[in-house]
Amino acid sequence: MSRISTLKLLRVNFKNSFQKSTAYFSQNWTNLFSTVGYTLTQIALIELLFGNITQLGGFSKDEILLLMFFGQINFYVIATFSFFPAQSFIEAIAEGGMDLIFTKPVPPVLHIFSNNTEYIGAIRDALPAILPVLILINWSSLSFTLLHVLIGILVLCMGLILNHVIIFVASSVSFWTGSGSNILLTYFWSQAIEPKFVLEKTAYIFRLLLLLFLPSLIVSAVSVSVMLGKSHAIFWLAAVFIVCYLGCMFARFVWRRALREYSSASS
Amino acid sequence: MKRGLKVIGLSAYTTAHRYKEYPIEFFFGFFARFVGVALLTYFWFMVGQYSDLTTDTKQLVGYYLIVSGAMVILLTDWQLAHNIKRHIKFGQINPILMKPVHPLFIFYGIQFGSSLPFVILSIINITIGTILASSHSLNPFVIVLGLVNAVIINICLNVLVGCLAFFFVEASGMINTANHISRLLQGMLIPLYLTPLWLQNATHVLPFGASLFLPVQALMGKDIPTWHLVSGTIWSMVLMFLALVVWRRSMRRYEGVGI
């Protein structure tokens, strides 16, 4: 049987995901309420906090809202394309579902991660979370330069890739341990808090340690800091690129070792 | 009641036993919560140190250590509601309903067992937070009353929201909505003493103030107005009655194989 093309696979998985997401339409409404509730409470937190202070670590209210904006983007991209598919990946490893996937003429990792991606859910959940923050930011109070914004976006993209790589490696540990949900949960907790993290006042060594263990901070704290000109843009671009490249190489290495480790009834 | 408590212990033991088979899950469960607590505490340390807030940093850090510990023990994380919803949704409630004991004892036991790594860390957090931030004028009566009211209120709120799974196919979104709103009103997102006075009073008129903020303040040795304690006690009785009524009504609607 000839290998199915990547585009065709993605098209089929998208259609499958759409049908699953719209099967129980009330779920969409309840999740929408949940997302709106979360966003409103986070905005209320920022408003209440800045009712008592004028700046946090040198960041004004609008700059903290910008941090929150990119933190939300990071959260929904990672949740949609990495975290929830990774949970299905772990289940497939633990329950022997990988056997069926390996027999299919498709790239196994791409199939697992795209088959369990909730595209409609992502749009439904992300838009109400991101749009209010976008509207509330007073953009005229923020100072950007084009170069810094472009470098910041590059840092953000590489940060997203690095996040995905780490989640993939964390879920691949299931090939050895049989169960890895809590490993993912460790990473998930960091996504929940980091949107409001300001690194500028943190001691340099602690900053490096945080970034080493929680590279999700790259997407919000580092990229926003670069965009606003508060950090050395070229340094962070180079550093994040090197870490991202090494991360991808490590993920390939882990996948190859994991395949050697995998055994089940039919393989 | 005695049988119920025995059932809680047995359910908790059975659920926690899975960590023996997957010890790495225990370790990472503990580590996951540790990371969350560390980041939350560090964020409020930054607020205390690097902003123009007049509140003592030690008080803020101590407050959040106690809050992050109390969240698990007082069931403010809504995991009990998610547990109930999961059992209803997948039909796993059927064998529980057939047992000669109230199902809520079993649910509570399962919840306690699965959150065992978190409970250990919670006790550590509460101890460190209390040492860091409490004054020396702790009132044992207020602490015990505050904790008892908080546990009852939170269990009842979890049951009330978890019962939505009897009426809706997918109730996760509703549980999450309740979680987000309660996090603000209970003082988890921001200490209530940093919010406007009208909001503080509103949370104590409603059950949210007594469900987390009041016991945390009691553990920190703060003065608690009498009407806050009275409000919490009244709400714990009202919610207990409501939870039992709603549970019975929900059971009448429920249909399952063999029931």
Side-chain angles (χ1 to χ4, degrees):
Chain A
M1 188 189 285
S2 61
R3 208 167 169 81
I4 293 173
S5 74
T6 302
L7 272 176
K8 190 174 177 186
L9 176 68
L10 288 173
R11 204 168 53 236
V12 166
N13 284 338
F14 179 82
K15 188 181 166 189
N16 184 39
S17 168
F18 180 84
Q19 285 170 345
K20 273 197 294 190
S21 296
T22 50
Y24 291 110
F25 209 74
S26 63
Q27 180 185 349
N28 291 317
W29 287 113
T30 58
N31 281 341
L32 182 65
F33 290 142
S34 170
T35 310
V36 169
Y38 174 79
T39 306
L40 290 177
T41 52
Q42 290 297 312
I43 291 170
L45 164 64
I46 305 284
E47 291 292 331
L48 289 168
L49 186 60
F50 277 86
N52 292 277
I53 61 177
T54 55
Q55 57 83 26
L56 172 59
F59 276 60
S60 65
K61 187 174 92 169
D62 294 303
E63 288 167 345
I64 294 288
L65 282 171
L66 189 67
L67 260 179
M68 187 178 153
F69 172 69
F70 283 107
Q72 292 287 78
I73 288 177
N74 173 57
F75 178 81
Y76 285 105
V77 167
I78 292 304
T80 305
F81 294 103
S82 307
F83 183 72
F84 291 117
Q87 288 187 313
S88 304
F89 182 39
I90 290 171
E91 276 169 24
I93 296 167
E95 294 165 12
M98 291 299 293
D99 288 10
L100 186 61
I101 294 167
F102 284 137
T103 57
K104 293 183 183 179
V106 297
V109 176
L110 179 65
H111 176 62
I112 293 164
F113 277 81
S114 62
N115 190 37
N116 295 289
T117 301
E118 294 245 359
Y119 301 97
I120 303 300
I123 295 167
R124 174 200 67 212
D125 292 341
L127 282 181
I130 290 168
L131 284 178
V133 182
L134 204 60
I135 292 165
L136 277 174
I137 295 174
N138 180 9
W139 296 96
S140 59
S141 71
L142 302 173
S143 57
F144 296 113
T145 62
L146 182 62
L147 178 67
H148 280 131
V149 168
L150 288 173
I151 294 175
I153 290 172
L154 278 174
V155 168
L156 185 149
C157 294
M158 286 192 286
L160 288 171
I161 293 169
L162 189 58
N163 268 331
H164 180 77
V165 158
I166 287 173
I167 286 173
F168 173 73
V169 167
S171 50
S172 297
V173 169
S174 302
F175 281 102
W176 286 272
T177 63
S179 177
S181 307
N182 273 341
I183 299 169
L184 277 188
L185 205 62
T186 306
Y187 201 64
F188 181 70
W189 274 100
S190 69
Q191 313 290 330
I193 185 63
E194 61 80 20
K196 300 177 283 293
F197 238 73
V198 171
L199 287 179
E200 266 65 23
K201 295 290 184 189
T202 317
Y204 199 69
I205 185 73
F206 193 47
R207 209 184 302 184
L208 282 176
L209 280 172
L210 270 176
L211 290 171
L212 196 65
F213 288 106
L214 293 170
S216 55
L217 288 171
I218 292 171
V219 181
S220 57
V222 175
S223 66
V224 167
S225 182
V226 165
M227 283 186 207
L228 294 170
K230 292 181 188 277
S231 299
H232 198 289
I234 302 298
F235 167 76
W236 281 113
L237 181 66
V240 171
F241 174 76
I242 291 168
V243 173
C244 188
Y245 179 78
L246 290 174
C248 292
M249 292 297 108
F250 183 65
R252 279 184 67 162
F253 168 75
V254 166
W255 175 243
R256 286 190 180 142
R257 291 302 298 265
L259 285 177
R260 271 189 244 163
E261 189 66 27
Y262 185 70
S263 63
S264 70
S266 60
S267 60
Chain B
M1 189 67 182
K2 205 171 154 190
R3 187 165 58 175
L5 290 172
K6 194 176 172 189
V7 162
I8 288 174
L10 281 171
S11 308
Y13 175 77
T14 315
T15 312
H17 208 73
R18 75 182 173 98
Y19 290 118
K20 201 178 164 199
E21 300 305 318
Y22 298 108
I24 202 160
E25 286 283 285
F26 184 92
F27 171 74
F28 273 102
F30 187 94
F31 189 62
R33 187 62 69 132
F34 174 78
V35 167
V37 169
L39 291 178
L40 180 68
T41 315
Y42 186 67
F43 170 73
W44 284 99
F45 170 78
M46 279 197 309
V47 170
Q49 281 291 105
Y50 303 125
S51 72
D52 37 3
L53 189 68
T54 51
T55 307
D56 181 23
T57 306
K58 259 174 63 175
Q59 290 287 307
L60 275 176
V61 169
Y63 175 85
Y64 271 95
L65 281 171
I66 299 173
V67 159
S68 55
M71 266 171 66
V72 174
I73 292 172
L74 299 179
L75 299 169
T76 57
D77 54 4
W78 295 90
Q79 289 305 310
L80 179 61
H82 276 295
N83 212 343
I84 294 171
K85 177 221 81 177
R86 208 164 29 243
H87 278 80
I88 295 167
K89 185 179 171 183
F90 296 116
Q92 293 163 357
I93 196 175
N94 294 355
I96 292 174
L97 291 175
M98 288 184 211
K99 294 191 191 334
V101 69
H102 201 287
L104 292 178
F105 287 117
I106 298 177
F107 284 128
Y108 184 76
I110 292 171
Q111 183 52 41
F112 189 81
S114 63
S115 54
L116 194 60
F118 309 145
V119 167
I120 296 167
L121 183 63
S122 297
I123 293 169
I124 296 170
N125 287 341
I126 290 173
T127 309
I128 297 173
T130 310
I131 292 168
L132 204 62
S134 75
S135 63
H136 296 290
S137 57
L138 295 178
N139 186 333
F141 171 74
V142 170
I143 291 172
V144 169
L145 182 62
L147 286 171
V148 168
N149 283 342
V151 168
I152 294 171
I153 288 170
N154 287 312
I155 289 176
C156 294
L157 285 174
N158 273 271
V159 168
L160 284 168
V161 176
C163 281
L164 289 171
F166 286 111
F167 300 93
F168 298 97
V169 170
E170 186 53 64
S172 297
M174 295 177 195
I175 298 173
N176 289 335
T177 307
N179 181 25
H180 298 321
I181 294 169
S182 67
R183 277 163 58 85
L184 181 67
L185 298 178
Q186 286 172 334
M188 261 193 265
L189 276 189
I190 183 167
L192 289 180
Y193 53 78
L194 292 179
T195 61
L197 193 60
W198 65 265
L199 184 60
Q200 293 179 47
N201 288 335
T203 61
H204 285 289
V205 167
L206 296 167
F208 300 105
S211 62
L212 180 69
F213 183 71
L214 193 151
V216 171
Q217 291 292 94
L219 284 168
M220 289 172 71
K222 304 289 183 198
D223 288 327
I224 311 286
T226 311
W227 77 269
H228 289 183
L229 283 166
V230 170
S231 171
T233 309
I234 293 171
W235 271 112
S236 64
M237 291 190 289
V238 165
L239 285 173
M240 211 160 26
F241 172 73
L242 266 177
L244 286 170
V245 164
V246 169
W247 179 264
R248 282 198 188 126
R249 288 266 166 95
S250 306
M251 282 289 102
R252 277 188 228 153
R253 274 180 67 97
Y254 183 70
E255 289 173 358
V257 174
I259 296 175

